[in-house]
């Protein structure tokens, strides 16, 4: 499982987990790397919120196809 940290937000398993401190986000990332259980690690390290990541590129492509159904054929 991939896990990365940017500021106070850690990314794992298609979700972003937000934390009050950078140290908590880093502790979460280490926990995920060892346990492979993001939900349990988020609870243990005080995640303040969790957001499902979206595939923005895929959404933009779908919107373009809706606006111009003849494009790409």
């Amino acid at each position: 499982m991939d896990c990365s940290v940017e500021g106070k937000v850690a990314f794992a398993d298609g979700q972003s987990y937000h934390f009050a401190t950078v140290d908590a986000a880093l502790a979460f990332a280490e926990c995920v790397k060892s346990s492979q259980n993001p939900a349990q690690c988020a609870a243990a390290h005080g995640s303040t919120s969790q957001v499902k990541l979206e595939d923005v590129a895929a959404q933009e492509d779908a919107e373009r196809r809706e606006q111009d159904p003849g494009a790409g054929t």
Side-chain angles (χ1 to χ4, degrees), residues 1-70:
M1 174 180 302
D2 204 18
C3 185
S4 62
V5 176
E6 292 180 20
K8 295 186 275 187
V9 180
F11 300 91
D13 200 25
Q15 308 277 331
S16 67
Y17 297 87
H18 300 245
F19 296 89
T21 66
V22 171
D23 287 341
L26 292 171
F28 165 81
E30 287 305 313
C31 177
V32 170
K33 288 176 185 174
S34 64
S35 75
Q36 301 292 306
N37 189 337
Q40 181 180 2
C41 292
H45 294 287
S47 174
T48 57
S49 70
Q50 176 182 346
V51 178
K52 181 170 176 52
L53 300 176
E54 298 178 2
D55 187 344
V56 174
Q59 283 183 334
E60 289 174 350
D61 287 344
E63 288 173 6
R64 270 192 231 98
R65 282 193 299 274
E66 283 180 13
Q67 292 172 358
D68 188 4

